[in-house]
């Protein structure tokens, strides 16, 4: 496993920034190890959404602490978040985007160096699901940062 750390600042969109970080470093099997920080916006798909009813989406605005952020960060990232409001009440779901950083987001990203994560449509669920493959292409650190 390889470990990477990154910090995002006020106003940055967290999911897109994480995906850009992964792309810049050409990570093949990235996943979130931990994250602490806060956001002022979030768009989440709730747990009762299905492939045929994806309208179970909420848009949050306010100040929220990131209590948990987990998932895989391949190009079609699958990320879940749990947020707490000013009273400590929590809400969570599948991240759709609009995670606007309030003060900071400190993220530790892991990479399973011998694997490659892709997504393929799963007829059983109706969603693109994770497919884990052995990594056949090895990239040196020099190549990863030059490109």
């Amino acid at each position: 496993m390889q470990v990477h750390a990154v910090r995002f600042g006020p106003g940055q969109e967290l999911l897109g920034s994480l995906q850009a970080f992964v792309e810049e470093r050409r990570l093949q099997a990235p996943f979130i190890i931990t994250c602490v920080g806060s956001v002022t916006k979030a768009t989440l798909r709730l747990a009762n959404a299905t492939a045929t009813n994806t309208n179970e989406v909420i848009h949050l605005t306010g100040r929220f602490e990131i209590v948990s952020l987990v998932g895989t960060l391949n190009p079609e990232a699958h990320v879940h978040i749990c947020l707490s409001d000013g009273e400590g009440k929590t809400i969570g779901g599948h991240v759709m985007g609009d995670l606007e950083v309030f003060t900071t987001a400190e993220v530790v990203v892991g990479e399973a160096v011998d694997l490659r994560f892709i997504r393929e449509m799963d007829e059983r669920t109706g969603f693109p699901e994770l497919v884990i493959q052995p990594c056949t292409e090895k990239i040196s650190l020099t190549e990863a940062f030059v490109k």
Side-chain angles (χ1 to χ4, degrees), residues 51 120-129:
E120 292 179 357
M121 184 57 71
D122 185 322
E123 293 178 15
R124 297 171 298 165
T125 67
F127 289 103
E129 302 291 359

Side-chain angles (χ1 to χ4, degrees), residues 23-143:
E23 186 176 318
E24 287 168 9
R25 283 157 183 77
R26 299 178 62 186
L27 306 183
Q28 297 293 305
F31 56 94
I32 298 167
I33 296 174
T34 191
C35 172
V36 294
S38 57
V39 296
T40 56
K41 287 199 262 183
T43 299
L44 308 178
R45 186 179 70 219
L46 301 178
N48 54 349
T50 65
T52 56
N53 177 22
T54 57
N55 294 329
E56 298 292 329
V57 173
I58 60 170
H59 303 278
L60 303 172
T61 57
R63 294 181 179 171
F64 301 92
E65 288 290 328
I66 300 169
V67 176
S68 176
L69 185 70
V70 296
T72 55
L73 292 168
N74 53 304
E76 303 86 18
H78 187 184
V79 176
H80 290 191
I81 195 167
C82 183
L83 301 169
S84 68
D85 66 14
E87 296 177 359
K89 295 177 184 167
T90 58
I91 188 163
H94 175 92
V95 175
M96 301 297 291
D98 294 331
L99 286 177
E100 186 176 294
V101 174
F102 175 46
T103 57
T104 191
E106 303 162 7
V107 188
V108 179
V109 175
E111 181 187 21
V113 293
D114 293 332
L115 300 176
R116 182 170 169 245
F117 293 164
I118 63 169
R119 294 205 168 268
E120 292 179 357
M121 184 57 71
D122 185 322
E123 293 178 15
R124 297 171 298 165
T125 67
F127 289 103
E129 302 291 359
L130 183 66
V131 175
I132 303 162
Q133 301 176 332
C135 185
T136 57
E137 178 185 330
K138 298 292 181 188
I139 301 170
S140 73
L141 286 176
T142 304
E143 288 178 303

